[in-house]
Amino acid sequence: MKGRWGKYLLGGLVIAILAGCSSKPTDRGQQYKDGQLEQPLALVNQPNTRGVPMNGNDYANQLLEIQYASPSLFNRNSSTYQAVKSWMASGADTRQLSQFGLSAYQMEGADNYGNVQFTGYYTPVVQARYTPQGEFRYPLYRMPPKRGRLPSRAGIYNGALDDRYIIAYSNSLMDNFMMEVQGSGYVDFGNGQPLVFFGYGGKNGHAYRSIGRVLIDRGEVAKADMSMQAIRKWADSHSEAEVRELLEQNPSFVFFRPESFAPVKGASAVPLIAKASVASDRSLIPAGTTLLAEVPLLDNKGKFTGKYEMRLMVALDVGGAIKGQHFDIYQGIGPDAGHAAGFYNHYGRVWVLKGGNSGAPLFSAYRPKVSQSGGLLATR
């Protein structure tokens, strides 16, 4: 969601910059089919790939959400959306994109070999009550008025905020933290009523520190094994005091805003369709951009299977750790989505699809520079 400063736990923890790529690793889905790429976004005649996007219906539903929630965003990209739908209806052969007025721009990836980073995020469902009772004793807070500097996480855990800012009590301090990391979530008050959406309400202004990085630095979890599941497993085997001490290493704290009957929306204020929407770096990939992506498939333990699936996705969200050649795929709602999101820190190939005048610059931030000798210098 908008302002989701810290939800990109894995992105901030273990971003593997593959510069140089002397050993050319492949354990996280890296490919080297296209050689070394020279531009952040390079126009190609056709993607060097085969296969058909397997989520055409989800992509179409995401376009309907954009059209309803943000007509201006839809209209700015309507030529591309219509061309993609026509291409899909005709069989979605990647060799025929140009026949439908579509240009494909391949992303150079984190290593200049086309390997774009994928992480994942989701919307958790947290059990809570309106008042403290039994195991439900961990407060969730709304944003207090900013009168000077707000307290750190440790201060808030120690009761530095007035109780009138408490909006619910959950049964898990770690669940609260994970909802902060995702930036929003649904709360089940156990009263048979519809779930209440807790949207992002602000933060305390303190610097974010990754608890995953803390565990790695302490030797508690190996860097190669780090994931949200690994953090939860560590927490399950340690005392409440030890878990609290770990969480307090991150002084940043997120507040929430209850909203009844609210769908999950990204920074573009558009409801998100699972696995058809991503968070992007808007200096490179503006809101509404359509992506054709080869996404690595993982097994139930988060290991790369050696296979990929083709997906169409739209950039509709942002995140503080999502920079450059990196996308965060929205995985959906609940524990299954969380399981998938928690493992993703892998690589695939991405082509930006653009309709209309392919001769025009893709995005203004990446216009090529002209050298004094008249040659073109690719910008980064």
Side-chain angles (χ1 to χ4, degrees):
M1 297 331 113
K2 188 175 183 179
R4 281 185 288 103
W5 54 278
K7 76 175 185 55
Y8 307 101
L9 185 63
L10 299 183
L13 294 175
V14 287
I15 293 177
I17 301 301
L18 306 177
C21 211
S22 57
S23 62
K24 293 188 177 178
T26 59
D27 61 311
R28 291 185 177 270
Q30 302 93 325
Q31 301 183 69
Y32 305 94
K33 295 180 179 180
D34 305 306
Q36 190 165 3
L37 304 176
E38 300 296 334
Q39 300 179 50
L41 292 158
L43 178 64
V44 295
N45 289 327
Q46 63 188 42
N48 178 24
T49 186
R50 294 291 183 270
V52 175
M54 48 77 63
N55 67 331
N57 288 337
D58 287 341
Y59 174 77
N61 288 336
Q62 186 65 83
L63 296 190
L64 289 175
E65 295 288 2
I66 298 170
Q67 187 173 17
Y68 177 78
S70 182
S72 61
L73 181 63
F74 183 87
N75 290 336
R76 287 199 300 272
N77 296 276
S78 60
S79 63
T80 298
Y81 296 157
Q82 186 56 53
V84 172
K85 287 194 292 183
S86 297
W87 172 66
M88 286 289 294
S90 297
D93 188 333
T94 55
R95 296 169 295 183
Q96 298 176 354
L97 284 167
S98 61
Q99 297 179 25
F100 295 87
L102 287 165
S103 298
Y105 294 80
Q106 185 170 3
M107 300 187 67
E108 68 176 346
D111 59 353
N112 305 114
Y113 281 86
N115 291 303
V116 177
Q117 185 186 13
F118 291 119
T119 49
Y121 70 107
Y122 75 110
T123 305
V125 177
V126 172
Q127 302 296 315
R129 300 293 183 265
Y130 287 107
T131 58
Q133 47 187 282
E135 64 179 354
F136 295 94
R137 62 183 188 275
Y138 303 104
L140 291 160
Y141 291 88
R142 64 180 173 90
M143 183 77 182
K146 286 188 176 180
R147 300 188 183 99
R149 187 170 176 80
L150 292 173
S152 67
R153 177 178 301 277
I156 293 171
Y157 284 171
N158 284 317
L161 293 179
D162 194 288
D163 286 355
R164 69 178 182 272
Y165 301 119
I166 298 176
I167 50 178
Y169 294 85
S170 86
N171 59 354
S172 170
L173 192 63
M174 182 59 74
D175 281 354
N176 289 6
F177 181 82
M178 288 298 183
M179 189 161 74
E180 288 185 52
V181 168
Q182 301 305 315
S184 66
Y186 284 101
V187 171
D188 183 354
F189 282 103
N191 54 7
Q193 299 300 308
L195 303 181
V196 178
F197 184 66
F198 273 35
Y200 175 84
K203 59 183 179 180
N204 63 350
H206 290 252
Y208 176 77
R209 185 185 183 196
S210 165
I211 63 167
R213 171 57 59 188
V214 172
L215 289 176
I216 291 171
D217 291 344
R218 290 178 176 179
E220 300 273 2
V221 178
K223 182 178 179 179
D225 297 331
M226 179 51 65
S227 66
M228 283 190 283
Q229 283 87 341
I231 292 173
R232 282 195 177 275
K233 183 177 180 180
W234 181 92
D236 290 343
S237 62
H238 288 75
S239 69
E240 180 178 335
E242 289 171 317
V243 171
R244 175 169 164 170
E245 186 275 334
L246 173 66
L247 299 183
E248 288 177 350
Q249 299 307 303
N250 176 18
S252 183
F253 192 90
V254 169
F255 304 100
F256 297 103
R257 182 182 63 252
E259 305 173 40
S260 297
F261 309 109
V264 180
K265 296 181 179 181
S268 300
V270 173
L272 303 178
I273 301 296
K275 300 181 183 179
S277 58
V278 299
S280 69
D281 180 349
R282 286 195 174 169
S283 70
L284 177 60
I285 305 297
T289 300
T290 290
L291 309 169
L292 178 65
E294 240 180 23
V295 181
L297 290 174
L298 311 183
D299 64 21
N300 197 47
K301 296 182 179 180
K303 302 301 181 182
F304 174 50
T305 62
K307 299 179 180 179
Y308 304 83
E309 63 185 11
M310 194 78 73
R311 286 188 170 274
L312 285 166
M313 299 185 287
V314 185
L316 292 171
D317 212 348
V318 298
I322 308 306
K323 303 297 183 185
Q325 308 274 326
H326 177 187
F327 294 105
D328 213 27
I329 302 174
Y330 179 61
Q331 297 288 336
I333 301 170
D336 289 343
H339 183 80
F343 283 132
Y344 258 105
N345 186 31
H346 293 70
Y347 296 84
R349 295 188 297 168
V350 176
W351 297 267
V352 172
L353 300 185
K354 187 175 174 66
N357 183 9
S358 61
L362 181 57
F363 302 125
S364 59
Y366 285 88
R367 297 179 192 272
K369 295 181 178 178
V370 179
S371 71
Q372 292 181 351
S373 62
L376 294 178
L377 301 175
T379 57
R380 301 179 67 89

